[in-house]
Amino acid sequence: MSDIENWLKQRGVTEVECLVPDMAGSPRGKIMPAHRFVREEGVRLPESLFLQTVTGEWPDDMSAIHPAEIDMELVPDIDTIRLVPWATDITAQVIHDCVHHDGSPVDISPRYVLRRVLKLYEDQGWQPIVAPELEFFLVARNVDPDYPLVPPVGRSGRQETVRQSYSIDAVNEFDPLFDDIYDYCDVQELEIDTLIHESGAAQMEINFLHGDALSRADQA
C-alpha cells in the first residue's frame, strides 16, 4: 500500500472509490477517505452482489444466495488507480479483485471469470484483441417519467428531427460535451480512436484504440 499512499499524497487525493465491476459491468463498491483507505485492513462487500441483475433484482432461483450474506474481501489492483476528473473533490478510484477470507479468488467475480477465459486463450497460443466502443444516445433532461425521452437542444438551438448518420455537423452540435469527454479520457488514460454520429437521433459512438493499434503506435 505504500506505493498507493505516495500516489494519493502527491495528488492531494481526499477520497477513494473502491470499485468492483458487477456482471453487467457497472461499478459497485464503497467510498472512503484517502487516509482510511491506506490504513484499512480490508474492504468487504457481500458476495451476493454478483447475483443481482442489471436492474438490481434477484434471480428466480435463490438457491445460490447464502442466507448469511457471506462477505468477500477486496484487494486493490494498483495498476488501475486513476483520478476521477468529474468529482468535485480530488478523488481517486481503484478497481479491486475479490477473494475469500482464505485468499482464494471468488469464482463468480467478473474479473476472475475474465482471467479464466484469458487462460483458455493462452493455452491455445492465442492472443485476444479487444476493440471496445461506447454507443449511446444523448437525451434532454427528463424530470417527468410520464413524458418520453427526446433529443437535447444543441448549439444551434434546435433538436434533431431527421437521421444524421455520420454527420460531422451533428456531432459538432455538442462540442462542449465531447470536449469534456476527451479531457476526462486523458485523465483516466483512455485512448480515444474515433467519434461518430450513428443512425438514430443524437445517437453517438466512441471507439477506443485496441491492442493492435496501441502496439503499432508504440513502434512508430
Side-chain angles (χ1 to χ4, degrees):
M1 293 293 284
S2 60
D3 290 338
I4 292 183
E5 184 174 10
N6 291 334
W7 193 96
L8 298 174
K9 286 182 177 179
Q10 289 170 3
R11 292 159 178 78
V13 173
T14 59
E15 285 188 333
V16 177
E17 297 177 353
C18 306
L19 307 180
V20 295
D22 67 9
M23 287 299 183
S26 298
R28 308 286 180 181
K30 295 182 178 181
I31 301 174
M32 63 173 57
H35 69 274
R36 284 282 309 280
F37 174 76
V38 297
R39 289 171 174 76
E40 281 287 332
E41 294 183 356
V43 181
R44 294 175 175 81
L45 285 175
E47 186 178 338
S48 59
L49 167 70
F50 297 133
L51 298 175
Q52 286 183 295
T53 67
V54 69
T55 59
E57 298 172 348
W58 297 107
D60 293 334
D61 181 5
M62 298 287 286
S63 61
I65 300 177
H66 195 284
E69 283 281 13
I70 297 174
D71 276 349
M72 54 189 179
E73 297 183 5
L74 308 189
V75 179
D77 181 348
I78 191 172
D79 292 332
T80 68
I81 189 168
R82 298 289 188 276
L83 289 174
V84 182
W86 51 84
T88 303
D89 298 322
I90 303 178
T91 304
Q93 58 184 201
V94 186
I95 300 176
H96 288 62
D97 289 309
C98 301
V99 301
H100 296 293
H101 298 311
D102 62 1
S104 62
V106 176
D107 58 0
I108 60 172
S109 165
R111 278 171 64 86
Y112 185 62
V113 171
L114 176 59
R115 286 193 178 96
R116 295 205 305 271
V117 173
L118 293 177
K119 182 63 168 61
L120 294 175
Y121 276 81
E122 182 182 340
D123 292 343
Q124 294 293 328
W126 300 339
Q127 180 182 2
I129 301 295
V130 179
E133 64 180 40
L134 301 179
E135 194 164 326
F136 55 94
F137 289 87
L138 300 177
V139 297
R141 186 181 296 275
N142 184 298
V143 297
D144 190 338
D146 290 334
Y147 289 87
L149 298 175
V150 296
V153 173
R155 294 195 303 182
S156 66
R158 299 188 300 272
Q159 294 174 323
E160 287 188 28
T161 57
V162 296
R163 293 185 181 276
Q164 299 280 0
S165 301
Y166 304 100
S167 168
I168 299 299
D169 288 339
V171 171
N172 289 336
E173 283 282 294
F174 305 101
D175 258 354
L177 168 65
F178 292 120
D179 285 343
D180 284 344
I181 291 177
Y182 283 134
D183 290 343
Y184 290 172
C185 285
D186 283 343
V187 174
Q188 296 248 300
E189 302 178 31
L190 298 173
E191 297 284 345
I192 291 180
D193 185 15
T194 57
L195 165 65
I196 62 175
H197 191 298
E198 272 285 3
S199 300
Q203 182 184 6
M204 307 293 176
E205 179 178 304
I206 293 176
N207 298 300
F208 293 101
L209 283 174
H210 60 282
D212 197 37
L214 287 174
S215 63
R216 289 198 302 271
D218 291 338
Q219 296 168 4

